[in-house]
Amino acid sequence: QVHLVESGGDLVQAGGSLRLSCLLSGRSFPYDGVGWFRRAPGKERMFVATINRSTGSTYYSNIVKGRFTISSDNAKDAVYLQMNSLIPEDTATYYCAASKYGYSVTNVAEADDWGQGTRVTVFS
């Protein structure tokens, strides 16, 4: 098990930036694979980005590629999502998800643990 806590969500104007943080605490497994997902109002939870904390390998959804950057700071047991050039369609609750032994987390089924989410609202 691991406790995932997201933060950094806010209200931001289109074109602006935000950085989300996910802190992993109390983990008793590697949890190398960590991903960000989001759920917009009335829509399904969808994959945003993932990172392998050991190798630094990353993978992005086409919707955010080139605008968002996922990174990790293993000394702090933290994973970040830098979001630039935000658009109203990025409005959603963003969730951090981690896999005990998986290389990455690109879909809901691969996640063993989830955070509670942090809300991002982009207005035009």
Side-chain angles (χ1 to χ4, degrees):
Q1 288 285 338
V2 67
H3 188 49
L4 303 174
V5 178
E6 304 97 330
S7 63
D10 206 345
L11 181 68
V12 62
Q13 191 168 20
S17 299
L18 280 176
R19 189 176 86 150
L20 306 183
S21 299
C22 173
L23 297 183
L24 292 76
S25 63
R27 61 184 180 90
S28 51
F29 299 95
Y31 286 101
D32 283 338
V34 178
W36 285 97
F37 291 72
R38 71 187 188 188
R39 175 181 282 165
K43 295 189 176 181
E44 296 290 320
R45 192 173 302 197
M46 63 168 284
F47 166 74
V48 174
T50 187
I51 189 167
N52 181 282
R53 300 189 314 123
S54 290
T55 66
S57 176
T58 60
Y59 179 72
Y60 297 90
S61 161
N62 287 335
I63 295 175
V64 306
K65 191 179 296 183
R67 299 189 298 123
F68 292 9
T69 302
I70 189 171
S71 62
S72 67
D73 183 338
N74 292 344
K76 297 181 179 179
D77 250 354
V79 173
Y80 306 102
L81 185 68
Q82 178 66 42
M83 306 188 296
N84 298 329
S85 302
L86 285 162
I87 59 178
E89 290 76 14
D90 293 321
T91 294
T93 300
Y94 284 71
Y95 298 90
C96 178
S99 172
K100 291 178 181 178
Y101 296 110
Y103 185 85
S104 60
V105 184
T106 61
N107 61 69
V108 173
E110 291 177 339
D112 291 305
D113 293 277
W114 292 87
Q116 82 291 344
T118 186
R119 179 74 178 168
V120 172
T121 303
V122 184
F123 64 93
S124 56

